[in-house]
Amino acid sequence: MDWIKKIFGLRRISDSQACEEAKQEVITIDSLGLQAKVDGVPTYDLFETGKHDLETMLRVCESEELSYWGQPAGGRMCAAPAAFLRVTILSKKAKNLDQELFICRRWKRIAEDYASQLPVIRGEWAQAHRGGSSRKILERLAKIEASAERR
């Protein structure tokens, strides 16, 4: 076993050393400049503080969408579907069907594009487009479109 350590340069390290090394190597979406922000505030912070305010959540969605489409094709990290779902809920409460439909369609476009990327197809990246929030948005879109066809 010692010969393997010599060849590969393996050394014994403590758990605390391993934690410190892992902290130094962490790459975040914020460090890559991919974190969607509204007025310099990360959208996840605004989501928590403004989830009951339609205007705030619309700005979060807009920022998430701009951040998503601003990334290179084929390498886009998914936008946060929960923000879009929250806007659909708040729009429905406000009885604003047009806005609800519009935000659902915007999410559908993102989800379809995200699902078409090779790393997502291979299963190497998160399947955010298949998650609960995304599914609820797409179900809501289908329901709205079906009711519009009946009218």
Side-chain angles (χ1 to χ4, degrees):
M1 191 66 145
D2 286 335
W3 63 273
I4 293 175
K5 290 178 185 176
K6 286 178 185 175
I7 292 172
F8 294 106
L10 300 175
R11 66 194 194 319
R12 192 180 254 318
I13 59 173
S14 69
D15 288 342
S16 61
Q17 282 177 306
C19 285
E20 281 306 309
E21 287 181 15
K23 284 179 189 174
Q24 292 171 0
E25 295 176 16
V26 171
I27 298 173
T28 65
I29 60 172
D30 202 22
S31 68
L32 294 173
L34 300 174
Q35 175 60 56
K37 296 180 180 179
V38 175
D39 299 329
V41 179
T43 53
Y44 58 82
D45 283 340
L46 284 176
F47 183 84
E48 289 302 314
T49 60
K51 65 183 174 185
H52 300 294
D53 180 43
L54 181 57
E55 291 307 312
T56 300
M57 293 311 300
L58 281 168
R59 292 183 70 203
V60 167
C61 284
E62 181 180 340
S63 180
E64 287 284 339
E65 187 173 23
L66 288 172
S67 177
Y68 179 78
W69 293 115
Q71 298 171 52
R76 294 183 175 123
M77 295 178 70
C78 197
F84 289 80
L85 178 60
R86 192 70 194 144
V87 170
T88 64
I89 291 167
L90 294 171
S91 297
K92 184 176 181 175
K93 284 183 179 180
K95 299 188 185 321
N96 190 338
L97 184 64
D98 291 336
Q99 184 169 277
E100 184 181 2
L101 180 61
F102 183 65
I103 205 77
C104 287
R105 286 182 175 157
R106 285 168 63 183
W107 173 254
K108 182 179 180 183
R109 188 169 160 240
I110 290 172
E112 288 173 347
D113 180 77
Y114 181 73
S116 71
Q117 297 183 111
L118 196 53
V120 177
I121 293 167
R122 288 184 189 150
E124 297 167 358
W125 286 5
Q127 303 293 307
H129 63 293
R130 293 183 177 170
S133 294
S134 181
R135 199 172 52 250
K136 287 177 185 177
I137 295 167
L138 298 175
E139 287 169 359
R140 182 68 195 142
L141 176 60
K143 186 176 176 182
I144 294 169
E145 289 175 338
S147 68
E149 287 176 9
R150 282 184 251 141
R151 283 188 246 157

